[in-house]
mmCIF file with all atom_site columns, all heavy atoms in Angstrom:
data_model
loop_
_atom_site.group_PDB
_atom_site.id
_atom_site.type_symbol
_atom_site.label_atom_id
_atom_site.label_alt_id
_atom_site.label_comp_id
_atom_site.label_asym_id
_atom_site.label_entity_id
_atom_site.label_seq_id
_atom_site.pdbx_PDB_ins_code
_atom_site.Cartn_x
_atom_site.Cartn_y
_atom_site.Cartn_z
_atom_site.occupancy
_atom_site.B_iso_or_equiv
_atom_site.pdbx_formal_charge
_atom_site.auth_seq_id
_atom_site.auth_comp_id
_atom_site.auth_asym_id
_atom_site.auth_atom_id
_atom_site.pdbx_PDB_model_num
ATOM 1   N N   . PRO A 1 26 ? 83.907 147.549 242.560 1.00 0.00 ? 26 PRO A N   1
ATOM 2   C CA  . PRO A 1 26 ? 83.007 148.215 241.608 1.00 0.00 ? 26 PRO A CA  1
ATOM 3   C C   . PRO A 1 26 ? 81.579 148.283 242.131 1.00 0.00 ? 26 PRO A C   1
ATOM 4   O O   . PRO A 1 26 ? 80.890 149.277 241.927 1.00 0.00 ? 26 PRO A O   1
ATOM 5   C CB  . PRO A 1 26 ? 83.132 147.333 240.360 1.00 0.00 ? 26 PRO A CB  1
ATOM 6   C CG  . PRO A 1 26 ? 84.525 146.813 240.434 1.00 0.00 ? 26 PRO A CG  1
ATOM 7   C CD  . PRO A 1 26 ? 84.757 146.541 241.893 1.00 0.00 ? 26 PRO A CD  1
ATOM 8   N N   . ARG A 1 27 ? 81.123 147.244 242.826 1.00 0.00 ? 27 ARG A N   1
ATOM 9   C CA  . ARG A 1 27 ? 79.764 147.287 243.342 1.00 0.00 ? 27 ARG A CA  1
ATOM 10  C C   . ARG A 1 27 ? 79.626 148.410 244.382 1.00 0.00 ? 27 ARG A C   1
ATOM 11  O O   . ARG A 1 27 ? 78.648 149.167 244.374 1.00 0.00 ? 27 ARG A O   1
ATOM 12  C CB  . ARG A 1 27 ? 79.398 145.935 243.956 1.00 0.00 ? 27 ARG A CB  1
ATOM 13  C CG  . ARG A 1 27 ? 78.039 145.904 244.662 1.00 0.00 ? 27 ARG A CG  1
ATOM 14  C CD  . ARG A 1 27 ? 76.900 146.203 243.683 1.00 0.00 ? 27 ARG A CD  1
ATOM 15  N NE  . ARG A 1 27 ? 75.635 146.405 244.389 1.00 0.00 ? 27 ARG A NE  1
ATOM 16  C CZ  . ARG A 1 27 ? 74.708 145.454 244.567 1.00 0.00 ? 27 ARG A CZ  1
ATOM 17  N NH1 . ARG A 1 27 ? 74.900 144.246 244.066 1.00 0.00 ? 27 ARG A NH1 1
ATOM 18  N NH2 . ARG A 1 27 ? 73.602 145.710 245.213 1.00 0.00 ? 27 ARG A NH2 1
ATOM 19  N N   . ALA A 1 28 ? 80.622 148.523 245.258 1.00 0.00 ? 28 ALA A N   1
ATOM 20  C CA  . ALA A 1 28 ? 80.565 149.587 246.264 1.00 0.00 ? 28 ALA A CA  1
ATOM 21  C C   . ALA A 1 28 ? 80.648 150.963 245.595 1.00 0.00 ? 28 ALA A C   1
ATOM 22  O O   . ALA A 1 28 ? 79.956 151.907 245.991 1.00 0.00 ? 28 ALA A O   1
ATOM 23  C CB  . ALA A 1 28 ? 81.709 149.407 247.269 1.00 0.00 ? 28 ALA A CB  1
ATOM 24  N N   . PHE A 1 29 ? 81.495 151.063 244.570 1.00 0.00 ? 29 PHE A N   1
ATOM 25  C CA  . PHE A 1 29 ? 81.608 152.322 243.822 1.00 0.00 ? 29 PHE A CA  1
ATOM 26  C C   . PHE A 1 29 ? 80.260 152.674 243.206 1.00 0.00 ? 29 PHE A C   1
ATOM 27  O O   . PHE A 1 29 ? 79.785 153.810 243.302 1.00 0.00 ? 29 PHE A O   1
ATOM 28  C CB  . PHE A 1 29 ? 82.681 152.172 242.735 1.00 0.00 ? 29 PHE A CB  1
ATOM 29  C CG  . PHE A 1 29 ? 83.113 153.468 242.094 1.00 0.00 ? 29 PHE A CG  1
ATOM 30  C CD1 . PHE A 1 29 ? 84.267 154.123 242.508 1.00 0.00 ? 29 PHE A CD1 1
ATOM 31  C CD2 . PHE A 1 29 ? 82.368 154.042 241.060 1.00 0.00 ? 29 PHE A CD2 1
ATOM 32  C CE1 . PHE A 1 29 ? 84.665 155.311 241.908 1.00 0.00 ? 29 PHE A CE1 1
ATOM 33  C CE2 . PHE A 1 29 ? 82.759 155.237 240.465 1.00 0.00 ? 29 PHE A CE2 1
ATOM 34  C CZ  . PHE A 1 29 ? 83.913 155.873 240.891 1.00 0.00 ? 29 PHE A CZ  1
ATOM 35  N N   . LEU A 1 30 ? 79.636 151.680 242.579 1.00 0.00 ? 30 LEU A N   1
ATOM 36  C CA  . LEU A 1 30 ? 78.332 151.914 241.962 1.00 0.00 ? 30 LEU A CA  1
ATOM 37  C C   . LEU A 1 30 ? 77.301 152.342 243.006 1.00 0.00 ? 30 LEU A C   1
ATOM 38  O O   . LEU A 1 30 ? 76.497 153.253 242.756 1.00 0.00 ? 30 LEU A O   1
ATOM 39  C CB  . LEU A 1 30 ? 77.870 150.636 241.255 1.00 0.00 ? 30 LEU A CB  1
ATOM 40  C CG  . LEU A 1 30 ? 76.435 150.690 240.706 1.00 0.00 ? 30 LEU A CG  1
ATOM 41  C CD1 . LEU A 1 30 ? 76.333 151.686 239.547 1.00 0.00 ? 30 LEU A CD1 1
ATOM 42  C CD2 . LEU A 1 30 ? 75.971 149.310 240.246 1.00 0.00 ? 30 LEU A CD2 1
ATOM 43  N N   . GLU A 1 31 ? 77.338 151.701 244.171 1.00 0.00 ? 31 GLU A N   1
ATOM 44  C CA  . GLU A 1 31 ? 76.349 152.073 245.187 1.00 0.00 ? 31 GLU A CA  1
ATOM 45  C C   . GLU A 1 31 ? 76.542 153.523 245.621 1.00 0.00 ? 31 GLU A C   1
ATOM 46  O O   . GLU A 1 31 ? 75.572 154.224 245.916 1.00 0.00 ? 31 GLU A O   1
ATOM 47  C CB  . GLU A 1 31 ? 76.426 151.122 246.394 1.00 0.00 ? 31 GLU A CB  1
ATOM 48  C CG  . GLU A 1 31 ? 75.978 149.684 246.089 1.00 0.00 ? 31 GLU A CG  1
ATOM 49  C CD  . GLU A 1 31 ? 74.512 149.576 245.621 1.00 0.00 ? 31 GLU A CD  1
ATOM 50  O OE1 . GLU A 1 31 ? 73.694 150.463 245.951 1.00 0.00 ? 31 GLU A OE1 1
ATOM 51  O OE2 . GLU A 1 31 ? 74.194 148.619 244.881 1.00 0.00 ? 31 GLU A OE2 1
ATOM 52  N N   . ARG A 1 32 ? 77.780 153.976 245.654 1.00 0.00 ? 32 ARG A N   1
ATOM 53  C CA  . ARG A 1 32 ? 78.007 155.392 245.995 1.00 0.00 ? 32 ARG A CA  1
ATOM 54  C C   . ARG A 1 32 ? 77.408 156.285 244.907 1.00 0.00 ? 32 ARG A C   1
ATOM 55  O O   . ARG A 1 32 ? 76.801 157.317 245.184 1.00 0.00 ? 32 ARG A O   1
ATOM 56  C CB  . ARG A 1 32 ? 79.499 155.665 246.174 1.00 0.00 ? 32 ARG A CB  1
ATOM 57  C CG  . ARG A 1 32 ? 80.114 154.905 247.353 1.00 0.00 ? 32 ARG A CG  1
ATOM 58  C CD  . ARG A 1 32 ? 81.456 155.470 247.799 1.00 0.00 ? 32 ARG A CD  1
ATOM 59  N NE  . ARG A 1 32 ? 82.543 155.317 246.846 1.00 0.00 ? 32 ARG A NE  1
ATOM 60  C CZ  . ARG A 1 32 ? 83.296 154.211 246.725 1.00 0.00 ? 32 ARG A CZ  1
ATOM 61  N NH1 . ARG A 1 32 ? 83.058 153.132 247.478 1.00 0.00 ? 32 ARG A NH1 1
ATOM 62  N NH2 . ARG A 1 32 ? 84.289 154.180 245.859 1.00 0.00 ? 32 ARG A NH2 1
ATOM 63  N N   . CYS A 1 33 ? 77.579 155.871 243.650 1.00 0.00 ? 33 CYS A N   1
ATOM 64  C CA  . CYS A 1 33 ? 76.945 156.624 242.549 1.00 0.00 ? 33 CYS A CA  1
ATOM 65  C C   . CYS A 1 33 ? 75.426 156.647 242.727 1.00 0.00 ? 33 CYS A C   1
ATOM 66  O O   . CYS A 1 33 ? 74.781 157.699 242.614 1.00 0.00 ? 33 CYS A O   1
ATOM 67  C CB  . CYS A 1 33 ? 77.270 155.981 241.202 1.00 0.00 ? 33 CYS A CB  1
ATOM 68  S SG  . CYS A 1 33 ? 78.992 156.084 240.709 1.00 0.00 ? 33 CYS A SG  1
ATOM 69  N N   . LEU A 1 34 ? 74.859 155.479 243.010 1.00 0.00 ? 34 LEU A N   1
ATOM 70  C CA  . LEU A 1 34 ? 73.399 155.387 243.116 1.00 0.00 ? 34 LEU A CA  1
ATOM 71  C C   . LEU A 1 34 ? 72.892 156.214 244.302 1.00 0.00 ? 34 LEU A C   1
ATOM 72  O O   . LEU A 1 34 ? 71.790 156.783 244.236 1.00 0.00 ? 34 LEU A O   1
ATOM 73  C CB  . LEU A 1 34 ? 72.972 153.920 243.243 1.00 0.00 ? 34 LEU A CB  1
ATOM 74  C CG  . LEU A 1 34 ? 73.161 153.083 241.961 1.00 0.00 ? 34 LEU A CG  1
ATOM 75  C CD1 . LEU A 1 34 ? 72.961 151.588 242.245 1.00 0.00 ? 34 LEU A CD1 1
ATOM 76  C CD2 . LEU A 1 34 ? 72.194 153.541 240.862 1.00 0.00 ? 34 LEU A CD2 1
ATOM 77  N N   . ALA A 1 35 ? 73.702 156.301 245.338 1.00 0.00 ? 35 ALA A N   1
ATOM 78  C CA  . ALA A 1 35 ? 73.293 157.112 246.493 1.00 0.00 ? 35 ALA A CA  1
ATOM 79  C C   . ALA A 1 35 ? 73.247 158.596 246.109 1.00 0.00 ? 35 ALA A C   1
ATOM 80  O O   . ALA A 1 35 ? 72.319 159.324 246.489 1.00 0.00 ? 35 ALA A O   1
ATOM 81  C CB  . ALA A 1 35 ? 74.255 156.881 247.661 1.00 0.00 ? 35 ALA A CB  1
ATOM 82  N N   . VAL A 1 36 ? 74.243 159.034 245.358 1.00 0.00 ? 36 VAL A N   1
ATOM 83  C CA  . VAL A 1 36 ? 74.230 160.435 244.910 1.00 0.00 ? 36 VAL A CA  1
ATOM 84  C C   . VAL A 1 36 ? 73.047 160.665 243.971 1.00 0.00 ? 36 VAL A C   1
ATOM 85  O O   . VAL A 1 36 ? 72.352 161.686 244.049 1.00 0.00 ? 36 VAL A O   1
ATOM 86  C CB  . VAL A 1 36 ? 75.557 160.812 244.214 1.00 0.00 ? 36 VAL A CB  1
ATOM 87  C CG1 . VAL A 1 36 ? 75.518 162.262 243.732 1.00 0.00 ? 36 VAL A CG1 1
ATOM 88  C CG2 . VAL A 1 36 ? 76.744 160.594 245.140 1.00 0.00 ? 36 VAL A CG2 1
ATOM 89  N N   . ILE A 1 37 ? 72.812 159.707 243.090 1.00 0.00 ? 37 ILE A N   1
ATOM 90  C CA  . ILE A 1 37 ? 71.683 159.836 242.164 1.00 0.00 ? 37 ILE A CA  1
ATOM 91  C C   . ILE A 1 37 ? 70.376 159.948 242.950 1.00 0.00 ? 37 ILE A C   1
ATOM 92  O O   . ILE A 1 37 ? 69.532 160.813 242.670 1.00 0.00 ? 37 ILE A O   1
ATOM 93  C CB  . ILE A 1 37 ? 71.658 158.641 241.179 1.00 0.00 ? 37 ILE A CB  1
ATOM 94  C CG1 . ILE A 1 37 ? 72.844 158.742 240.212 1.00 0.00 ? 37 ILE A CG1 1
ATOM 95  C CG2 . ILE A 1 37 ? 70.334 158.601 240.412 1.00 0.00 ? 37 ILE A CG2 1
ATOM 96  C CD1 . ILE A 1 37 ? 73.063 157.510 239.345 1.00 0.00 ? 37 ILE A CD1 1
ATOM 97  N N   . ALA A 1 38 ? 70.218 159.085 243.957 1.00 0.00 ? 38 ALA A N   1
ATOM 98  C CA  . ALA A 1 38 ? 68.985 159.119 244.755 1.00 0.00 ? 38 ALA A CA  1
ATOM 99  C C   . ALA A 1 38 ? 68.811 160.493 245.398 1.00 0.00 ? 38 ALA A C   1
ATOM 100 O O   . ALA A 1 38 ? 67.698 161.034 245.466 1.00 0.00 ? 38 ALA A O   1
ATOM 101 C CB  . ALA A 1 38 ? 69.025 158.021 245.815 1.00 0.00 ? 38 ALA A CB  1
ATOM 102 N N   . ALA A 1 39 ? 69.909 161.065 245.843 1.00 0.00 ? 39 ALA A N   1
ATOM 103 C CA  . ALA A 1 39 ? 69.836 162.358 246.533 1.00 0.00 ? 39 ALA A CA  1
ATOM 104 C C   . ALA A 1 39 ? 69.639 163.523 245.567 1.00 0.00 ? 39 ALA A C   1
ATOM 105 O O   . ALA A 1 39 ? 68.877 164.453 245.847 1.00 0.00 ? 39 ALA A O   1
ATOM 106 C CB  . ALA A 1 39 ? 71.116 162.576 247.351 1.00 0.00 ? 39 ALA A CB  1
ATOM 107 N N   . ARG A 1 40 ? 70.301 163.501 244.414 1.00 0.00 ? 40 ARG A N   1
ATOM 108 C CA  . ARG A 1 40 ? 70.336 164.677 243.553 1.00 0.00 ? 40 ARG A CA  1
ATOM 109 C C   . ARG A 1 40 ? 69.402 164.628 242.350 1.00 0.00 ? 40 ARG A C   1
ATOM 110 O O   . ARG A 1 40 ? 69.015 165.665 241.811 1.00 0.00 ? 40 ARG A O   1
ATOM 111 C CB  . ARG A 1 40 ? 71.784 164.910 243.040 1.00 0.00 ? 40 ARG A CB  1
ATOM 112 C CG  . ARG A 1 40 ? 72.862 165.087 244.111 1.00 0.00 ? 40 ARG A CG  1
ATOM 113 C CD  . ARG A 1 40 ? 72.635 166.357 244.950 1.00 0.00 ? 40 ARG A CD  1
ATOM 114 N NE  . ARG A 1 40 ? 72.259 167.530 244.177 1.00 0.00 ? 40 ARG A NE  1
ATOM 115 C CZ  . ARG A 1 40 ? 73.108 168.320 243.510 1.00 0.00 ? 40 ARG A CZ  1
ATOM 116 N NH1 . ARG A 1 40 ? 74.402 168.074 243.552 1.00 0.00 ? 40 ARG A NH1 1
ATOM 117 N NH2 . ARG A 1 40 ? 72.662 169.371 242.841 1.00 0.00 ? 40 ARG A NH2 1
ATOM 118 N N   . GLU A 1 41 ? 69.087 163.432 241.875 1.00 0.00 ? 41 GLU A N   1
ATOM 119 C CA  . GLU A 1 41 ? 68.351 163.311 240.623 1.00 0.00 ? 41 GLU A CA  1
ATOM 120 C C   . GLU A 1 41 ? 66.998 164.043 240.612 1.00 0.00 ? 41 GLU A C   1
ATOM 121 O O   . GLU A 1 41 ? 66.630 164.638 239.586 1.00 0.00 ? 41 GLU A O   1
ATOM 122 C CB  . GLU A 1 41 ? 68.184 161.832 240.243 1.00 0.00 ? 41 GLU A CB  1
ATOM 123 C CG  . GLU A 1 41 ? 67.377 161.562 238.972 1.00 0.00 ? 41 GLU A CG  1
ATOM 124 C CD  . GLU A 1 41 ? 67.985 162.120 237.681 1.00 0.00 ? 41 GLU A CD  1
ATOM 125 O OE1 . GLU A 1 41 ? 69.124 162.601 237.703 1.00 0.00 ? 41 GLU A OE1 1
ATOM 126 O OE2 . GLU A 1 41 ? 67.291 162.084 236.644 1.00 0.00 ? 41 GLU A OE2 1
#
Side-chain angles (χ1 to χ4, degrees):
Chain A
R27 174 62 190 264
F29 193 98
L30 173 68
E31 292 299 335
R32 296 197 293 276
C33 293
L34 290 169
V36 179
I37 291 170
R40 303 296 317 279
E41 178 63 8

